[in-house]
Amino acid sequence: MTDTHAIAGIPMQWVGPVRVSGNVATTETQVPLATYESPLWPSVGRGAKVSMLADQGIVATLVDERMTRSVLLDATDANTAYTAARAIGSRIEELREVVRGCSRFAELIGIRHEITGHLLFVRFEFSTGDAAGHNMATLASDALLGHLLRTVPGISYGSISGNYCTDKKATAINGLLGRGKNVVTELLVPRAVLEARLHTTAAKIAELNLRKNLLGTLLAGGIRSANAHYANMLLGFYLATGQDAANIVEGSQGVTTAEDRDGDLYFSCTLPNLIVGTVGNGKSLAFVETNLTRLGCRADRAPGENARRLAVIAAATVLCGELSLLAAQTNPGELMRAHVQLERDNKTAKVGV
């Protein structure tokens, strides 16, 4: 008989340490990555070594955080939808009380809407403490939806989710308005470190970033995104820390910036949709508990602080891998040689889990 509760084992290694500073955390920590793509470990590790050679390391600035859920309302006509939208927007304090009545940690922080024909899409934005907040936002939206249907004339139920949130899909709205944690990471790499550790120059990386990440993505029709491989680092980090891995879809929408500053490299990764939490589904697994504790995300802090710490460490991990890959791609043949050698070595290597 098939065991429906079996656990899939994914190879995991700790890499680093990574040096992180900024408005949330100042720390030096190794980071866990669970992946079948074994060359990712030394690649992120190379970026982490570079971070340790910078005085401030990777400066991670958390600029915003919100979890969203959109509901769909059916109005009799567009004017009724417009009247309802104005009424909903004017009653935010009343709606905040509705949310407080169904959750200890969810807080309604914003409301946006869109009208198409007679349909009204309402996007609720919440703070959700240390949880990523999917279920919390849905529960709160369900309560809000019931309240609106009882108190706003001319509207009826459409759906608890109208895809204007938007969850686990690549869209412009998340990049514009944010969903999850919005984190900007920055690293200034001295010329000598570029040459010794990454075997490249600031000019080469800046030019490649322009041509590949910006122009190449533009030609491909990318949506609010210009990066090499954020998804690789996010998936490895998400699986190791008990996150909903499907959120790498919007999480990998981000922009890499690279500038040659008199031979030094200014390198930045902006992630506006970083969805992570330290409580909730997946966090009770023993290995997740161990990993979160080792990352310093199980400390006794104010609600939300552990999740913010996890977010900036995740974002710093993304920068490490992004920098390492772009450096490799400035040199003909380096990427493929590394993959062939590292994957061959890992076929017989014992993987730490």
Side-chain angles (χ1 to χ4, degrees):
M1 184 176 178
T2 302
D3 184 354
T4 58
H5 297 287
I7 293 177
I10 300 175
M12 189 192 85
Q13 285 191 6
W14 287 81
V15 301
V18 179
R19 178 174 290 165
V20 183
S21 65
N23 65 349
V24 171
T26 298
T27 186
E28 293 178 6
T29 179
Q30 289 187 309
V31 295
L33 294 171
T35 180
Y36 293 112
E37 189 176 355
S38 53
L40 190 66
W41 297 318
S43 179
V44 173
R46 184 167 75 150
K49 287 179 182 177
V50 172
S51 80
M52 295 296 291
L53 298 173
D55 290 340
Q56 293 180 286
I58 297 169
V59 181
T61 303
L62 189 145
V63 300
D64 190 54
E65 57 181 320
R66 61 194 62 234
M67 176 47 63
T68 64
R69 175 60 68 198
S70 69
V71 300
L72 174 58
L73 296 165
D74 192 343
T76 53
D77 52 42
N79 186 61
T80 303
Y82 175 66
T83 302
R86 288 176 59 85
I88 292 168
S90 69
R91 293 161 57 180
I92 188 168
E93 291 303 327
E94 172 189 329
L95 299 180
R96 282 175 174 154
E97 288 303 315
V98 173
V99 173
R100 291 176 185 135
C102 67
S103 174
R104 289 182 297 159
F105 298 105
E107 183 75 18
L108 180 64
I109 59 177
I111 304 173
R112 301 174 188 271
H113 74 270
E114 189 90 16
I115 297 170
T116 298
H118 60 89
L119 300 178
L120 172 59
F121 297 80
V122 182
R123 190 177 195 259
F124 296 117
E125 302 172 344
F126 306 93
S127 61
T128 56
D130 280 310
H134 298 93
N135 293 337
M136 195 182 298
T138 303
L139 176 65
S141 296
D142 193 55
L144 288 169
L145 181 56
H147 180 77
L148 294 176
L149 292 174
R150 289 190 300 270
T151 60
V152 177
I155 58 173
S156 60
Y157 177 82
S159 175
I160 182 59
S161 179
N163 260 13
Y164 188 59
C165 318
T166 179
D167 186 28
K168 301 166 186 172
K169 288 167 280 290
T171 61
I173 193 170
N174 283 348
L176 289 166
L177 302 180
R179 188 170 195 264
K181 307 287 193 293
N182 186 327
V183 182
V184 180
T185 56
E186 302 170 286
L187 178 65
L188 189 63
V189 188
R191 180 201 302 258
V193 174
L194 285 169
E195 295 173 352
R197 296 287 182 174
L198 298 177
H199 316 297
T200 190
T201 66
K204 288 182 178 179
I205 290 180
E207 181 180 61
L208 179 62
N209 184 61
L210 171 63
R211 294 177 172 181
K212 168 192 169 73
N213 285 346
L214 299 177
L215 292 180
T217 304
L218 172 67
L219 293 174
I223 301 175
R224 296 287 302 183
S225 187
N227 66 76
H229 71 145
Y230 287 11
N232 267 332
M233 286 73 71
L234 286 179
L235 180 59
F237 194 89
Y238 277 19
L239 291 176
T241 59
Q243 311 305 316
D244 188 336
N247 282 129
I248 66 167
V249 176
E250 64 260 58
S252 63
Q253 288 182 276
V255 177
T256 298
T257 303
E259 297 176 0
D260 179 356
R261 295 187 175 178
D262 296 324
D264 298 337
L265 174 69
Y266 170 84
F267 195 80
S268 172
C269 296
T270 298
L271 297 95
N273 310 313
L274 190 54
I275 299 173
V276 297
T278 56
V279 298
N281 289 343
K283 313 307 182 296
S284 60
L285 296 173
F287 80 92
V288 171
E289 181 72 28
T290 297
N291 292 348
L292 290 176
T293 299
R294 187 167 168 179
L295 287 168
C297 296
R298 275 288 185 257
D300 184 13
R301 298 187 176 98
E305 288 299 318
N306 281 326
R308 294 181 192 110
R309 178 184 175 90
L310 188 66
V312 298
I313 294 173
T317 303
V318 168
L319 184 145
C320 290
E322 183 81 352
L323 174 62
S324 183
L325 177 66
L326 286 179
Q329 290 183 350
T330 63
N331 297 313
E334 180 181 328
L335 178 66
M336 200 63 247
R337 286 195 303 272
H339 268 261
V340 170
Q341 183 61 48
L342 292 168
E343 287 177 351
R344 181 181 295 123
D345 290 347
N346 275 287
K347 284 181 180 179
T348 56
K350 182 178 179 180
V351 177
V353 177

